[in-house]
């Protein structure tokens, strides 16, 4: 498999997290800390989330085939949906554990746990930073980013509350901070889940303005009618469009199509465009109900 620039952050992130998990297990067994051992198991889920997102990136770069004419680009949408659901499950686990600790306060974290959690902040923070730029334009990358950002927040919460609890008797602080972190993660995850479901149902991507596209096409010289305009995502970075339009002339049709194609690509983040030109001579055109 050829490693591309887009796959490099996944390799670095997965490697860092695997090293951290091994270190966490080592400290956990040497100090007989079930908290560290349990957290190592949780952090393995981060590696799984990164692997799923990485697999989707690799699949999306495979060439189309006779049976899969768009290739495997939609795998990135499924990966984003998977990570969103995965995060919701993790949030549920945090909330349940926090509520249990409110009823039965846990003993303050020892310095070993705090130091290992601080290491987790560093590892997860670096991994989160690797996906900071890509997550703005790719929902799959955003899923990986959200996953690592959530764990960075959880580890940071352990460090801060751990130190405060060692200096005070505020046993209630740990579950309260955990609940706050869970709510913050939930807010971000809800948007990720909503967008992933929208793309999986062939909804219009958030980056695309259908009204502006319609106006652009209708404003083209010789275009008298626009109808059956559809925009959908075939992957988290690739959008498709199909449209029927009526022209009042047959002159320079190829040049007209090429110019309109270039405009739509450059202005509206559309990569795959299908335009059907009609000339208004068929009687059935007048019966179209969904004209725009």
């Amino acid at each position: 498999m050829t490693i591309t620039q887009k796959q490099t952050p996944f390799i670095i992130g997965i490697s860092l997290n695997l090293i951290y998990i091994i270190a966490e297990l080592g400290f956990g067994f040497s100090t007989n800390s079930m908290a560290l051992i349990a957290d190592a198991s949780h952090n393995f889920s981060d590696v799984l989330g990164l692997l799923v997102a990485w697999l989707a990136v690799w699949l999306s770069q495979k060439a189309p085939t006779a049976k899969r004419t768009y290739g495997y680009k939609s795998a990135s949408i499924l990966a984003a949906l998977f990570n969103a659901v995965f995060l919701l499950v993790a949030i549920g686990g945090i909330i349940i554990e926090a509520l249990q600790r409110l009823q039965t306060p846990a003993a303050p974290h020892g310095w070993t746990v705090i130091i290992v959690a601080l290491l987790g902040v560093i590892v997860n923070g670096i991994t989160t930073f690797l996906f900071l730029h890509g997550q703005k334009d790719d929902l799959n990358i955003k899923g990986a980013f959200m996953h690592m950002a959530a764990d960075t927040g959880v580890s940071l919460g352990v460090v801060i509350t751990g130190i405060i609890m060692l200096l005070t008797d505020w046993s209630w602080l740990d579950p309260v901070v955990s609940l706050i972190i869970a709510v913050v993660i939930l807010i971000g995850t809800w948007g990720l889940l909503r967008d992933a479901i929208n793309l999986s149902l062939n909804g219009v991507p958030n980056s695309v303005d259908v009204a502006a596209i319609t106006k652009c096409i209708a404003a083209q010289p010789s275009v008298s009618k626009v109808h059956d305009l559809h925009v959908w995502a075939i992957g988290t970075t690739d959008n498709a469009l199909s449209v029927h339009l009526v022209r009042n002339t047959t002159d320079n049709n190829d040049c007209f199509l090429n110019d309109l194609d270039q405009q739509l690509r450059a202005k509206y983040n559309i990569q795959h465009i299908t335009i059907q030109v009609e000339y208004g001579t068929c009687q059935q055109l007048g019966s179209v109900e969904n004209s725009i």
Side-chain angles (χ1 to χ4, degrees):
M1 179 176 64
T2 303
I3 303 301
T4 64
Q5 184 177 2
K6 198 170 184 179
Q7 296 181 50
T8 302
F10 290 101
I11 297 174
I12 297 174
I14 291 171
S15 299
L16 285 175
N17 277 270
L18 285 175
I19 293 172
Y20 175 59
I21 290 171
I22 294 171
E24 197 170 24
L25 285 172
F27 279 111
F29 284 116
S30 64
T31 60
N32 197 28
S33 172
M34 289 305 299
L36 288 179
I37 295 173
D39 193 56
S41 301
H42 165 72
N43 285 323
F44 185 73
S45 69
D46 295 335
V47 174
L48 179 60
L50 290 177
L51 283 171
V52 170
W54 183 17
L55 176 63
V57 170
W58 176 67
L59 285 174
S60 66
Q61 295 171 343
K62 291 179 69 67
T65 66
K67 288 190 175 182
R68 293 181 174 85
T69 55
Y70 281 132
Y72 294 84
K73 293 184 181 295
S74 60
S76 59
I77 299 175
L78 296 178
L81 183 59
F82 172 85
N83 269 318
V85 174
F86 212 178
L87 277 168
L88 288 179
V89 173
I91 292 169
I94 294 173
I95 292 174
I96 292 173
E97 184 176 354
L99 292 176
Q100 290 175 344
R101 289 186 180 181
L102 277 174
Q103 296 176 343
T104 308
H109 300 308
W111 281 109
T112 300
V113 174
I114 294 173
I115 293 173
V116 174
L118 182 59
L119 180 60
V121 173
I122 296 172
V123 170
N124 292 326
I126 292 174
T127 308
T128 302
F129 180 77
L130 291 173
F131 298 110
L132 179 62
H133 178 70
Q135 60 95 20
K136 297 177 181 178
D137 303 311
D138 188 336
L139 196 64
N140 180 37
I141 303 298
K142 184 177 181 179
F145 171 84
M146 286 293 301
H147 214 117
M148 301 315 303
D151 259 28
T152 303
V154 171
S155 296
L156 184 60
V158 171
V159 173
I160 295 174
T161 58
I163 293 174
I164 295 175
M165 287 173 65
L166 282 176
L167 301 175
T168 68
D169 59 351
W170 297 351
S171 59
W172 51 267
L173 186 62
D174 184 45
V176 169
V177 171
S178 295
L179 287 173
I180 294 173
I181 292 173
V183 171
V184 173
I185 298 172
L186 178 61
I187 293 173
T189 302
W190 190 255
L192 174 66
L193 179 66
R194 180 194 60 223
D195 293 343
I197 291 176
N198 177 59
L199 295 188
S200 66
L201 295 176
N202 289 334
V204 177
N206 291 335
S207 61
V208 178
D209 187 340
V210 173
I213 291 176
T214 303
K215 185 176 180 180
C216 173
I217 297 175
Q220 300 299 310
S222 76
V223 172
S224 59
K225 189 176 183 181
V226 180
H227 66 94
D228 288 312
L229 172 62
H230 300 283
V231 181
W232 69 99
I234 59 176
T236 52
T237 59
D238 294 84
N239 300 321
L241 174 150
S242 67
V243 63
H244 292 220
L245 55 87
V246 178
R247 292 189 70 202
N248 55 26
T249 178
T250 60
D251 294 342
N252 299 317
N253 194 58
D254 288 344
C255 292
F256 167 81
L257 289 175
N258 182 67
D259 182 61
L260 180 55
D261 184 277
Q262 293 301 317
Q263 287 187 55
L264 294 176
R265 289 176 184 273
K267 294 181 179 179
Y268 303 109
N269 191 29
I270 306 293
Q271 290 75 34
H272 301 267
I273 300 171
T274 302
I275 303 171
Q276 178 169 320
V277 177
E278 302 157 354
Y279 302 108
T281 57
C282 179
Q283 294 298 320
Q284 290 181 345
L285 286 178
S287 65
V288 176
E289 298 294 337
N290 60 338
S291 299
I292 299 177

